[in-house]
Amino acid sequence: MLDKAALLDRITQTPGKCGGRPCIRGMRIRVSDILETLADNVPASEILADFPDLEPEDIQACLLFAALRIDFPRIAV
């Protein structure tokens, strides 16, 4: 398994590409597309078959990216 920094390096954001949304390794495959596909219960093996340029680490990177984006404390009032 790659370290977290190496996984996160796979996620890129380029102004003007996919509306500036996070993508995988500069390709036009958005992190949100992969996450939504996983949420639809599509196995990672099928995603990798549908997107031959993807690597298993790309899917791991999407999951880590999402986990870190939602991990923030919130003060209850």
Short mmCIF file of all heavy atoms in Angstrom, two decimals:
data_model
loop_
_atom_site.label_atom_id
_atom_site.label_comp_id
_atom_site.label_asym_id
_atom_site.label_seq_id
_atom_site.Cartn_x
_atom_site.Cartn_y
_atom_site.Cartn_z
N MET A 1 0.85 -1.19 0.00
CA MET A 1 0.00 0.00 0.00
C MET A 1 0.88 1.24 0.00
O MET A 1 1.91 1.30 0.66
CB MET A 1 -0.90 -0.02 1.23
CG MET A 1 -1.81 1.17 1.29
SD MET A 1 -2.90 1.06 2.72
CE MET A 1 -3.26 2.76 2.93
N LEU A 2 0.48 2.22 -0.76
CA LEU A 2 1.21 3.49 -0.80
C LEU A 2 0.93 4.29 0.45
O LEU A 2 -0.10 4.13 1.10
CB LEU A 2 0.77 4.30 -2.02
CG LEU A 2 1.07 3.70 -3.39
CD1 LEU A 2 0.46 4.56 -4.47
CD2 LEU A 2 2.56 3.56 -3.61
N ASP A 3 1.85 5.20 0.76
CA ASP A 3 1.57 6.08 1.90
C ASP A 3 0.53 7.12 1.50
O ASP A 3 0.24 7.31 0.32
CB ASP A 3 2.86 6.70 2.43
CG ASP A 3 3.52 7.65 1.44
OD1 ASP A 3 2.83 8.50 0.88
OD2 ASP A 3 4.75 7.53 1.25
N LYS A 4 -0.03 7.75 2.49
CA LYS A 4 -1.13 8.69 2.24
C LYS A 4 -0.72 9.83 1.32
O LYS A 4 -1.50 10.24 0.45
CB LYS A 4 -1.67 9.23 3.56
CG LYS A 4 -2.44 8.19 4.34
CD LYS A 4 -3.01 8.76 5.62
CE LYS A 4 -3.77 7.69 6.37
NZ LYS A 4 -4.40 8.22 7.57
N ALA A 5 0.47 10.36 1.50
CA ALA A 5 0.91 11.47 0.65
C ALA A 5 1.00 11.04 -0.81
O ALA A 5 0.60 11.78 -1.71
CB ALA A 5 2.25 12.01 1.14
N ALA A 6 1.51 9.84 -1.04
CA ALA A 6 1.62 9.34 -2.41
C ALA A 6 0.23 9.13 -3.02
O ALA A 6 0.02 9.42 -4.21
CB ALA A 6 2.42 8.04 -2.44
N LEU A 7 -0.70 8.65 -2.23
CA LEU A 7 -2.07 8.49 -2.73
C LEU A 7 -2.68 9.84 -3.07
O LEU A 7 -3.28 10.02 -4.13
CB LEU A 7 -2.94 7.76 -1.70
CG LEU A 7 -2.72 6.26 -1.57
CD1 LEU A 7 -3.54 5.71 -0.41
CD2 LEU A 7 -3.07 5.54 -2.86
N LEU A 8 -2.53 10.80 -2.17
CA LEU A 8 -3.13 12.12 -2.41
C LEU A 8 -2.49 12.84 -3.59
O LEU A 8 -3.15 13.68 -4.23
CB LEU A 8 -3.05 12.97 -1.14
CG LEU A 8 -3.93 12.48 0.01
CD1 LEU A 8 -3.68 13.30 1.26
CD2 LEU A 8 -5.40 12.50 -0.38
N ASP A 9 -1.26 12.52 -3.92
CA ASP A 9 -0.62 13.11 -5.11
C ASP A 9 -1.31 12.68 -6.40
O ASP A 9 -1.15 13.33 -7.43
CB ASP A 9 0.86 12.73 -5.18
CG ASP A 9 1.72 13.52 -4.22
OD1 ASP A 9 1.24 14.57 -3.71
OD2 ASP A 9 2.87 13.10 -3.97
N ARG A 10 -2.09 11.63 -6.34
CA ARG A 10 -2.83 11.15 -7.51
C ARG A 10 -4.05 12.03 -7.80
O ARG A 10 -4.60 11.96 -8.89
CB ARG A 10 -3.28 9.71 -7.30
CG ARG A 10 -2.14 8.72 -7.28
CD ARG A 10 -2.60 7.31 -6.93
NE ARG A 10 -1.56 6.36 -7.21
CZ ARG A 10 -1.42 5.70 -8.36
NH1 ARG A 10 -2.29 5.87 -9.33
NH2 ARG A 10 -0.42 4.87 -8.54
N ILE A 11 -4.46 12.81 -6.83
CA ILE A 11 -5.63 13.68 -7.00
C ILE A 11 -5.15 15.07 -7.42
O ILE A 11 -4.32 15.67 -6.74
CB ILE A 11 -6.45 13.77 -5.70
CG1 ILE A 11 -6.82 12.38 -5.17
CG2 ILE A 11 -7.69 14.64 -5.90
CD1 ILE A 11 -7.64 11.53 -6.13
N THR A 12 -5.67 15.53 -8.54
CA THR A 12 -5.26 16.84 -9.07
C THR A 12 -6.48 17.73 -9.24
O THR A 12 -7.59 17.25 -9.43
CB THR A 12 -4.55 16.67 -10.43
OG1 THR A 12 -5.43 16.00 -11.34
CG2 THR A 12 -3.27 15.87 -10.28
N GLN A 13 -6.23 19.02 -9.15
CA GLN A 13 -7.27 20.02 -9.43
C GLN A 13 -6.66 21.07 -10.33
O GLN A 13 -5.69 21.73 -9.95
CB GLN A 13 -7.78 20.66 -8.14
CG GLN A 13 -8.69 19.74 -7.35
CD GLN A 13 -9.25 20.42 -6.13
OE1 GLN A 13 -8.63 20.41 -5.07
NE2 GLN A 13 -10.43 21.01 -6.27
N THR A 14 -7.22 21.20 -11.52
CA THR A 14 -6.71 22.14 -12.51
C THR A 14 -7.83 23.09 -12.90
O THR A 14 -8.88 22.63 -13.36
CB THR A 14 -6.20 21.38 -13.76
OG1 THR A 14 -5.27 20.38 -13.34
CG2 THR A 14 -5.55 22.33 -14.75
N PRO A 15 -7.61 24.40 -12.72
CA PRO A 15 -8.66 25.35 -13.15
C PRO A 15 -9.00 25.12 -14.62
O PRO A 15 -8.12 24.95 -15.46
CB PRO A 15 -8.00 26.71 -12.93
CG PRO A 15 -6.94 26.47 -11.90
CD PRO A 15 -6.45 25.07 -12.16
N GLY A 16 -10.29 25.08 -14.91
CA GLY A 16 -10.73 24.91 -16.28
C GLY A 16 -10.90 23.46 -16.71
O GLY A 16 -11.52 23.19 -17.73
N LYS A 17 -10.35 22.53 -15.97
CA LYS A 17 -10.52 21.12 -16.30
C LYS A 17 -11.57 20.53 -15.37
O LYS A 17 -11.41 20.58 -14.15
CB LYS A 17 -9.21 20.36 -16.16
CG LYS A 17 -9.31 18.89 -16.60
CD LYS A 17 -8.01 18.16 -16.44
CE LYS A 17 -7.18 18.37 -17.69
NZ LYS A 17 -5.99 17.51 -17.70
N CYS A 18 -12.63 20.03 -15.94
CA CYS A 18 -13.76 19.46 -15.16
C CYS A 18 -14.28 20.48 -14.15
O CYS A 18 -14.63 20.13 -13.02
CB CYS A 18 -13.35 18.17 -14.48
SG CYS A 18 -13.08 16.81 -15.62
N GLY A 19 -14.29 21.73 -14.55
CA GLY A 19 -14.81 22.77 -13.68
C GLY A 19 -13.98 22.98 -12.42
O GLY A 19 -14.48 23.48 -11.43
N GLY A 20 -12.71 22.58 -12.46
CA GLY A 20 -11.85 22.74 -11.29
C GLY A 20 -12.07 21.69 -10.22
O GLY A 20 -11.50 21.76 -9.14
N ARG A 21 -12.91 20.71 -10.53
CA ARG A 21 -13.18 19.65 -9.56
C ARG A 21 -12.00 18.68 -9.46
O ARG A 21 -11.25 18.52 -10.42
CB ARG A 21 -14.43 18.89 -9.97
CG ARG A 21 -15.69 19.73 -9.83
CD ARG A 21 -16.91 18.92 -10.27
NE ARG A 21 -18.11 19.71 -10.16
CZ ARG A 21 -18.58 20.51 -11.11
NH1 ARG A 21 -17.91 20.66 -12.24
NH2 ARG A 21 -19.69 21.18 -10.92
N PRO A 22 -11.84 18.03 -8.32
CA PRO A 22 -10.74 17.07 -8.16
C PRO A 22 -10.86 15.91 -9.16
O PRO A 22 -11.94 15.33 -9.33
CB PRO A 22 -10.90 16.56 -6.73
CG PRO A 22 -11.78 17.56 -6.04
CD PRO A 22 -12.64 18.17 -7.10
N CYS A 23 -9.76 15.61 -9.81
CA CYS A 23 -9.69 14.54 -10.80
C CYS A 23 -8.55 13.59 -10.43
O CYS A 23 -7.76 13.86 -9.54
CB CYS A 23 -9.42 15.11 -12.18
SG CYS A 23 -10.78 16.10 -12.81
N ILE A 24 -8.49 12.52 -11.17
CA ILE A 24 -7.45 11.51 -10.93
C ILE A 24 -6.31 11.71 -11.93
O ILE A 24 -6.53 11.65 -13.14
CB ILE A 24 -8.03 10.10 -11.06
CG1 ILE A 24 -9.15 9.92 -10.03
CG2 ILE A 24 -6.94 9.04 -10.87
CD1 ILE A 24 -9.98 8.69 -10.23
N ARG A 25 -5.13 11.97 -11.41
CA ARG A 25 -3.89 12.09 -12.17
C ARG A 25 -4.03 12.94 -13.43
O ARG A 25 -3.49 12.62 -14.48
CB ARG A 25 -3.35 10.71 -12.53
CG ARG A 25 -2.87 9.94 -11.32
CD ARG A 25 -2.21 8.63 -11.67
NE ARG A 25 -3.18 7.64 -12.12
CZ ARG A 25 -3.12 7.01 -13.30
NH1 ARG A 25 -2.15 7.24 -14.14
NH2 ARG A 25 -4.04 6.12 -13.61
N GLY A 26 -4.75 14.03 -13.33
CA GLY A 26 -4.87 14.96 -14.44
C GLY A 26 -5.79 14.50 -15.56
O GLY A 26 -5.97 15.19 -16.55
N MET A 27 -6.37 13.33 -15.41
CA MET A 27 -7.32 12.83 -16.41
C MET A 27 -8.68 13.49 -16.15
O MET A 27 -8.90 14.11 -15.13
CB MET A 27 -7.45 11.31 -16.32
CG MET A 27 -6.16 10.57 -16.61
SD MET A 27 -6.36 8.78 -16.59
CE MET A 27 -6.32 8.45 -14.83
N ARG A 28 -9.57 13.32 -17.06
CA ARG A 28 -10.91 13.87 -16.89
C ARG A 28 -11.84 12.86 -16.22
O ARG A 28 -13.00 12.71 -16.58
CB ARG A 28 -11.47 14.32 -18.24
CG ARG A 28 -10.74 15.53 -18.76
CD ARG A 28 -11.40 16.08 -20.01
NE ARG A 28 -10.68 17.23 -20.49
CZ ARG A 28 -10.86 18.48 -20.09
NH1 ARG A 28 -11.75 18.73 -19.15
NH2 ARG A 28 -10.16 19.46 -20.60
N ILE A 29 -11.30 12.17 -15.25
CA ILE A 29 -12.09 11.26 -14.42
C ILE A 29 -12.16 11.90 -13.04
O ILE A 29 -11.16 12.01 -12.35
CB ILE A 29 -11.44 9.86 -14.34
CG1 ILE A 29 -11.28 9.27 -15.74
CG2 ILE A 29 -12.29 8.95 -13.46
CD1 ILE A 29 -10.47 7.98 -15.77
N ARG A 30 -13.35 12.37 -12.70
CA ARG A 30 -13.51 13.09 -11.43
C ARG A 30 -13.57 12.13 -10.25
O ARG A 30 -14.07 11.02 -10.36
CB ARG A 30 -14.78 13.94 -11.46
CG ARG A 30 -14.75 15.03 -12.51
CD ARG A 30 -16.03 15.79 -12.56
NE ARG A 30 -17.14 14.87 -12.76
CZ ARG A 30 -18.41 15.23 -12.77
NH1 ARG A 30 -18.75 16.49 -12.60
NH2 ARG A 30 -19.36 14.35 -12.96
N VAL A 31 -13.05 12.59 -9.14
CA VAL A 31 -13.13 11.83 -7.89
C VAL A 31 -14.59 11.53 -7.58
O VAL A 31 -14.93 10.40 -7.20
CB VAL A 31 -12.46 12.61 -6.73
CG1 VAL A 31 -12.74 11.97 -5.39
CG2 VAL A 31 -10.96 12.73 -6.98
N SER A 32 -15.45 12.50 -7.76
CA SER A 32 -16.87 12.29 -7.46
C SER A 32 -17.48 11.19 -8.32
O SER A 32 -18.36 10.45 -7.85
CB SER A 32 -17.65 13.60 -7.62
OG SER A 32 -17.57 14.07 -8.95
N ASP A 33 -17.04 11.05 -9.57
CA ASP A 33 -17.56 9.98 -10.43
C ASP A 33 -17.23 8.61 -9.85
O ASP A 33 -18.07 7.71 -9.83
CB ASP A 33 -16.98 10.08 -11.84
CG ASP A 33 -17.41 11.34 -12.57
OD1 ASP A 33 -18.50 11.87 -12.27
OD2 ASP A 33 -16.65 11.80 -13.44
N ILE A 34 -16.00 8.46 -9.39
CA ILE A 34 -15.59 7.18 -8.81
C ILE A 34 -16.34 6.92 -7.51
O ILE A 34 -16.84 5.81 -7.28
CB ILE A 34 -14.06 7.15 -8.59
CG1 ILE A 34 -13.32 7.33 -9.92
CG2 ILE A 34 -13.63 5.87 -7.89
CD1 ILE A 34 -13.68 6.33 -11.00
N LEU A 35 -16.47 7.93 -6.67
CA LEU A 35 -17.17 7.76 -5.40
C LEU A 35 -18.64 7.41 -5.61
O LEU A 35 -19.18 6.53 -4.94
CB LEU A 35 -17.03 9.01 -4.54
CG LEU A 35 -15.61 9.34 -4.08
CD1 LEU A 35 -15.59 10.70 -3.40
CD2 LEU A 35 -15.07 8.26 -3.17
N GLU A 36 -19.28 8.07 -6.55
CA GLU A 36 -20.69 7.78 -6.84
C GLU A 36 -20.85 6.37 -7.39
O GLU A 36 -21.81 5.67 -7.05
CB GLU A 36 -21.26 8.80 -7.82
CG GLU A 36 -21.48 10.16 -7.19
CD GLU A 36 -21.98 11.19 -8.19
OE1 GLU A 36 -22.45 10.81 -9.29
OE2 GLU A 36 -21.90 12.39 -7.88
N THR A 37 -19.91 5.95 -8.21
CA THR A 37 -19.96 4.60 -8.76
C THR A 37 -19.80 3.56 -7.65
O THR A 37 -20.52 2.56 -7.62
CB THR A 37 -18.89 4.42 -9.85
OG1 THR A 37 -19.06 5.45 -10.84
CG2 THR A 37 -19.01 3.08 -10.54
N LEU A 38 -18.87 3.80 -6.75
CA LEU A 38 -18.72 2.91 -5.60
C LEU A 38 -19.98 2.89 -4.75
O LEU A 38 -20.40 1.84 -4.26
CB LEU A 38 -17.51 3.32 -4.76
CG LEU A 38 -16.13 3.07 -5.38
CD1 LEU A 38 -15.06 3.78 -4.56
CD2 LEU A 38 -15.85 1.59 -5.50
N ALA A 39 -20.61 4.05 -4.56
CA ALA A 39 -21.83 4.14 -3.77
C ALA A 39 -22.98 3.38 -4.43
O ALA A 39 -23.89 2.91 -3.74
CB ALA A 39 -22.22 5.61 -3.56
N ASP A 40 -22.92 3.25 -5.75
CA ASP A 40 -23.92 2.47 -6.48
C ASP A 40 -23.63 0.97 -6.41
O ASP A 40 -24.25 0.19 -7.12
CB ASP A 40 -23.99 2.91 -7.95
CG ASP A 40 -24.68 4.25 -8.12
OD1 ASP A 40 -25.46 4.65 -7.23
OD2 ASP A 40 -24.45 4.90 -9.16
N ASN A 41 -22.68 0.61 -5.57
CA ASN A 41 -22.33 -0.79 -5.31
C ASN A 41 -21.64 -1.47 -6.50
O ASN A 41 -21.75 -2.68 -6.66
CB ASN A 41 -23.55 -1.59 -4.86
CG ASN A 41 -23.17 -2.72 -3.93
OD1 ASN A 41 -22.16 -2.64 -3.25
ND2 ASN A 41 -23.98 -3.75 -3.91
N VAL A 42 -20.97 -0.68 -7.32
CA VAL A 42 -20.19 -1.24 -8.42
C VAL A 42 -18.82 -1.62 -7.85
O VAL A 42 -18.16 -0.80 -7.22
CB VAL A 42 -20.03 -0.21 -9.56
CG1 VAL A 42 -19.14 -0.74 -10.66
CG2 VAL A 42 -21.40 0.19 -10.10
N PRO A 43 -18.41 -2.87 -8.05
CA PRO A 43 -17.11 -3.29 -7.49
C PRO A 43 -15.94 -2.57 -8.15
O PRO A 43 -16.01 -2.18 -9.32
CB PRO A 43 -17.05 -4.79 -7.77
CG PRO A 43 -18.23 -5.14 -8.59
CD PRO A 43 -19.11 -3.94 -8.72
N ALA A 44 -14.88 -2.40 -7.38
CA ALA A 44 -13.69 -1.72 -7.90
C ALA A 44 -13.16 -2.42 -9.14
O ALA A 44 -12.71 -1.74 -10.09
CB ALA A 44 -12.61 -1.66 -6.82
N SER A 45 -13.26 -3.73 -9.20
CA SER A 45 -12.77 -4.45 -10.37
C SER A 45 -13.52 -4.05 -11.63
O SER A 45 -12.93 -3.95 -12.72
CB SER A 45 -12.88 -5.97 -10.15
OG SER A 45 -14.23 -6.33 -9.89
N GLU A 46 -14.81 -3.79 -11.51
CA GLU A 46 -15.61 -3.35 -12.67
C GLU A 46 -15.25 -1.92 -13.07
O GLU A 46 -15.18 -1.60 -14.26
CB GLU A 46 -17.09 -3.47 -12.35
CG GLU A 46 -17.99 -3.25 -13.56
CD GLU A 46 -19.45 -3.52 -13.25
OE1 GLU A 46 -19.74 -4.41 -12.43
OE2 GLU A 46 -20.30 -2.83 -13.85
N ILE A 47 -15.02 -1.07 -12.10
CA ILE A 47 -14.61 0.31 -12.39
C ILE A 47 -13.28 0.29 -13.14
O ILE A 47 -13.10 0.99 -14.14
CB ILE A 47 -14.50 1.15 -11.09
CG1 ILE A 47 -15.87 1.28 -10.44
CG2 ILE A 47 -13.89 2.52 -11.39
CD1 ILE A 47 -15.83 1.88 -9.05
N LEU A 48 -12.35 -0.52 -12.67
CA LEU A 48 -11.04 -0.62 -13.33
C LEU A 48 -11.17 -1.17 -14.75
O LEU A 48 -10.44 -0.75 -15.65
CB LEU A 48 -10.09 -1.48 -12.50
CG LEU A 48 -9.71 -0.89 -11.15
CD1 LEU A 48 -8.97 -1.92 -10.30
CD2 LEU A 48 -8.88 0.37 -11.32
N ALA A 49 -12.11 -2.07 -14.97
CA ALA A 49 -12.34 -2.60 -16.32
C ALA A 49 -12.96 -1.55 -17.23
O ALA A 49 -12.63 -1.48 -18.42
CB ALA A 49 -13.24 -3.85 -16.24
N ASP A 50 -13.84 -0.73 -16.67
CA ASP A 50 -14.51 0.32 -17.46
C ASP A 50 -13.58 1.48 -17.78
O ASP A 50 -13.78 2.18 -18.77
CB ASP A 50 -15.74 0.85 -16.73
CG ASP A 50 -16.89 -0.16 -16.70
OD1 ASP A 50 -16.84 -1.13 -17.48
OD2 ASP A 50 -17.81 0.03 -15.88
N PHE A 51 -12.61 1.73 -16.92
CA PHE A 51 -11.65 2.82 -17.09
C PHE A 51 -10.24 2.23 -17.11
O PHE A 51 -9.56 2.19 -16.09
CB PHE A 51 -11.76 3.85 -15.95
CG PHE A 51 -13.08 4.56 -15.88
CD1 PHE A 51 -14.10 4.08 -15.07
CD2 PHE A 51 -13.29 5.72 -16.62
CE1 PHE A 51 -15.31 4.74 -14.99
CE2 PHE A 51 -14.50 6.38 -16.55
CZ PHE A 51 -15.52 5.90 -15.74
N PRO A 52 -9.77 1.76 -18.28
CA PRO A 52 -8.49 1.06 -18.33
C PRO A 52 -7.28 1.89 -17.89
O PRO A 52 -6.25 1.32 -17.53
CB PRO A 52 -8.36 0.63 -19.78
CG PRO A 52 -9.48 1.24 -20.53
CD PRO A 52 -10.44 1.81 -19.55
N ASP A 53 -7.41 3.21 -17.90
CA ASP A 53 -6.29 4.06 -17.47
C ASP A 53 -6.18 4.15 -15.94
O ASP A 53 -5.17 4.63 -15.43
CB ASP A 53 -6.42 5.47 -18.05
CG ASP A 53 -6.23 5.49 -19.56
OD1 ASP A 53 -5.51 4.62 -20.07
OD2 ASP A 53 -6.81 6.37 -20.22
N LEU A 54 -7.22 3.72 -15.24
CA LEU A 54 -7.20 3.77 -13.78
C LEU A 54 -6.38 2.61 -13.21
O LEU A 54 -6.30 1.54 -13.80
CB LEU A 54 -8.61 3.69 -13.20
CG LEU A 54 -9.48 4.92 -13.27
CD1 LEU A 54 -10.80 4.66 -12.55
CD2 LEU A 54 -8.80 6.12 -12.68
N GLU A 55 -5.84 2.86 -12.03
CA GLU A 55 -5.10 1.85 -11.28
C GLU A 55 -5.80 1.68 -9.93
O GLU A 55 -6.48 2.61 -9.46
CB GLU A 55 -3.66 2.30 -11.09
CG GLU A 55 -2.92 2.51 -12.40
CD GLU A 55 -1.57 3.17 -12.24
OE1 GLU A 55 -1.20 3.58 -11.11
OE2 GLU A 55 -0.87 3.31 -13.26
N PRO A 56 -5.63 0.53 -9.30
CA PRO A 56 -6.29 0.32 -7.99
C PRO A 56 -5.97 1.43 -6.99
O PRO A 56 -6.83 1.83 -6.19
CB PRO A 56 -5.74 -1.03 -7.52
CG PRO A 56 -5.37 -1.74 -8.79
CD PRO A 56 -4.90 -0.66 -9.74
N GLU A 57 -4.75 1.95 -7.03
CA GLU A 57 -4.36 3.03 -6.12
C GLU A 57 -5.17 4.31 -6.35
O GLU A 57 -5.35 5.10 -5.43
CB GLU A 57 -2.87 3.32 -6.24
CG GLU A 57 -1.99 2.19 -5.77
CD GLU A 57 -1.78 1.10 -6.83
OE1 GLU A 57 -2.24 1.26 -7.98
OE2 GLU A 57 -1.16 0.07 -6.49
N ASP A 58 -5.67 4.49 -7.56
CA ASP A 58 -6.50 5.67 -7.85
C ASP A 58 -7.80 5.61 -7.06
O ASP A 58 -8.28 6.62 -6.55
CB ASP A 58 -6.80 5.78 -9.35
CG ASP A 58 -5.55 6.01 -10.18
OD1 ASP A 58 -4.64 6.72 -9.71
OD2 ASP A 58 -5.49 5.49 -11.30
N ILE A 59 -8.37 4.42 -6.97
CA ILE A 59 -9.61 4.26 -6.20
C ILE A 59 -9.33 4.48 -4.72
O ILE A 59 -10.10 5.16 -4.03
CB ILE A 59 -10.25 2.89 -6.48
CG1 ILE A 59 -10.70 2.83 -7.95
CG2 ILE A 59 -11.43 2.63 -5.53
CD1 ILE A 59 -11.22 1.49 -8.40
N GLN A 60 -8.22 3.95 -4.24
CA GLN A 60 -7.82 4.20 -2.84
C GLN A 60 -7.65 5.70 -2.61
O GLN A 60 -8.06 6.22 -1.57
CB GLN A 60 -6.50 3.51 -2.53
CG GLN A 60 -6.58 2.02 -2.34
CD GLN A 60 -5.20 1.47 -2.04
OE1 GLN A 60 -4.31 1.52 -2.88
NE2 GLN A 60 -5.04 0.96 -0.84
N ALA A 61 -7.05 6.38 -3.57
CA ALA A 61 -6.81 7.82 -3.44
C ALA A 61 -8.13 8.58 -3.34
O ALA A 61 -8.26 9.52 -2.55
CB ALA A 61 -5.98 8.33 -4.60
N CYS A 62 -9.12 8.18 -4.12
CA CYS A 62 -10.43 8.83 -4.07
C CYS A 62 -11.07 8.67 -2.70
O CYS A 62 -11.61 9.63 -2.15
CB CYS A 62 -11.36 8.24 -5.13
SG CYS A 62 -10.93 8.66 -6.82
N LEU A 63 -10.98 7.46 -2.16
CA LEU A 63 -11.57 7.21 -0.84
C LEU A 63 -10.85 8.00 0.24
O LEU A 63 -11.50 8.60 1.12
CB LEU A 63 -11.53 5.72 -0.53
CG LEU A 63 -12.44 4.85 -1.40
CD1 LEU A 63 -12.12 3.38 -1.19
CD2 LEU A 63 -13.89 5.15 -1.11
N LEU A 64 -9.53 8.04 0.18
CA LEU A 64 -8.77 8.81 1.17
C LEU A 64 -9.07 10.29 1.05
O LEU A 64 -9.29 10.98 2.05
CB LEU A 64 -7.26 8.55 0.99
CG LEU A 64 -6.35 9.34 1.91
CD1 LEU A 64 -6.63 9.03 3.38
CD2 LEU A 64 -4.89 9.05 1.57
N PHE A 65 -9.11 10.81 -0.17
CA PHE A 65 -9.41 12.22 -0.41
C PHE A 65 -10.76 12.58 0.20
O PHE A 65 -10.89 13.58 0.90
CB PHE A 65 -9.39 12.49 -1.91
CG PHE A 65 -9.66 13.92 -2.28
CD1 PHE A 65 -8.64 14.85 -2.24
CD2 PHE A 65 -10.92 14.33 -2.67
CE1 PHE A 65 -8.89 16.17 -2.58
CE2 PHE A 65 -11.16 15.65 -3.02
CZ PHE A 65 -10.14 16.57 -2.97
N ALA A 66 -11.76 11.75 -0.05
CA ALA A 66 -13.10 12.01 0.49
C ALA A 66 -13.10 11.95 2.01
O ALA A 66 -13.71 12.80 2.68
CB ALA A 66 -14.10 11.01 -0.07
N ALA A 67 -12.41 10.98 2.57
CA ALA A 67 -12.36 10.84 4.03
C ALA A 67 -11.74 12.07 4.67
O ALA A 67 -12.23 12.57 5.69
CB ALA A 67 -11.58 9.58 4.41
N LEU A 68 -10.68 12.57 4.07
CA LEU A 68 -10.01 13.75 4.64
C LEU A 68 -10.85 15.01 4.46
O LEU A 68 -10.78 15.92 5.29
CB LEU A 68 -8.64 13.92 4.00
CG LEU A 68 -7.63 12.82 4.34
CD1 LEU A 68 -6.34 13.03 3.55
CD2 LEU A 68 -7.35 12.78 5.82
N ARG A 69 -11.63 15.09 3.40
CA ARG A 69 -12.46 16.27 3.16
C ARG A 69 -13.60 16.41 4.15
O ARG A 69 -14.08 17.50 4.40
CB ARG A 69 -13.04 16.26 1.74
CG ARG A 69 -12.03 16.44 0.63
CD ARG A 69 -11.46 17.84 0.56
NE ARG A 69 -12.35 18.83 0.03
CZ ARG A 69 -12.31 19.32 -1.18
NH1 ARG A 69 -11.41 18.89 -2.03
NH2 ARG A 69 -13.16 20.25 -1.56
N ILE A 70 -14.06 15.28 4.70
CA ILE A 70 -15.19 15.36 5.63
C ILE A 70 -14.74 15.27 7.08
O ILE A 70 -15.57 15.38 7.99
CB ILE A 70 -16.25 14.28 5.35
CG1 ILE A 70 -15.68 12.88 5.58
CG2 ILE A 70 -16.81 14.42 3.96
CD1 ILE A 70 -16.72 11.82 5.67
N ASP A 71 -13.45 15.10 7.32
CA ASP A 71 -12.95 14.94 8.68
C ASP A 71 -12.56 16.30 9.27
O ASP A 71 -11.40 16.67 9.26
CB ASP A 71 -11.75 13.99 8.69
CG ASP A 71 -11.28 13.69 10.11
OD1 ASP A 71 -12.09 13.76 11.04
OD2 ASP A 71 -10.08 13.40 10.27
N PHE A 72 -13.55 17.02 9.73
CA PHE A 72 -13.27 18.29 10.39
C PHE A 72 -14.19 18.43 11.59
O PHE A 72 -15.32 17.98 11.55
CB PHE A 72 -13.42 19.48 9.42
CG PHE A 72 -14.79 19.58 8.80
CD1 PHE A 72 -15.79 20.31 9.39
CD2 PHE A 72 -15.06 18.94 7.60
CE1 PHE A 72 -17.04 20.42 8.82
CE2 PHE A 72 -16.32 19.03 7.03
CZ PHE A 72 -17.32 19.76 7.63
N PRO A 73 -13.67 19.00 12.64
CA PRO A 73 -14.49 19.14 13.84
C PRO A 73 -15.56 20.22 13.65
O PRO A 73 -15.36 21.18 12.93
CB PRO A 73 -13.49 19.56 14.92
CG PRO A 73 -12.37 20.18 14.18
CD PRO A 73 -12.32 19.52 12.83
N ARG A 74 -16.67 20.00 14.30
CA ARG A 74 -17.74 20.98 14.26
C ARG A 74 -18.20 21.21 15.68
O ARG A 74 -18.43 20.26 16.43
CB ARG A 74 -18.88 20.45 13.41
CG ARG A 74 -19.97 21.48 13.18
CD ARG A 74 -20.90 21.00 12.15
NE ARG A 74 -20.25 21.17 10.85
CZ ARG A 74 -20.89 21.28 9.73
NH1 ARG A 74 -22.19 21.19 9.70
NH2 ARG A 74 -20.25 21.45 8.60
N ILE A 75 -18.29 22.45 16.06
CA ILE A 75 -18.70 22.78 17.41
C ILE A 75 -20.23 22.79 17.46
O ILE A 75 -20.88 23.51 16.70
CB ILE A 75 -18.15 24.15 17.84
CG1 ILE A 75 -16.62 24.10 17.82
CG2 ILE A 75 -18.69 24.54 19.21
CD1 ILE A 75 -15.95 25.43 18.05
N ALA A 76 -20.78 21.94 18.31
CA ALA A 76 -22.23 21.88 18.48
C ALA A 76 -22.69 23.05 19.33
O ALA A 76 -22.09 23.36 20.36
CB ALA A 76 -22.63 20.56 19.10
N VAL A 77 -23.74 23.67 18.89
CA VAL A 77 -24.27 24.82 19.63
C VAL A 77 -25.58 24.45 20.27
O VAL A 77 -26.39 23.77 19.80
CB VAL A 77 -24.47 26.03 18.69
CG1 VAL A 77 -24.89 27.25 19.48
CG2 VAL A 77 -23.21 26.30 17.92
#
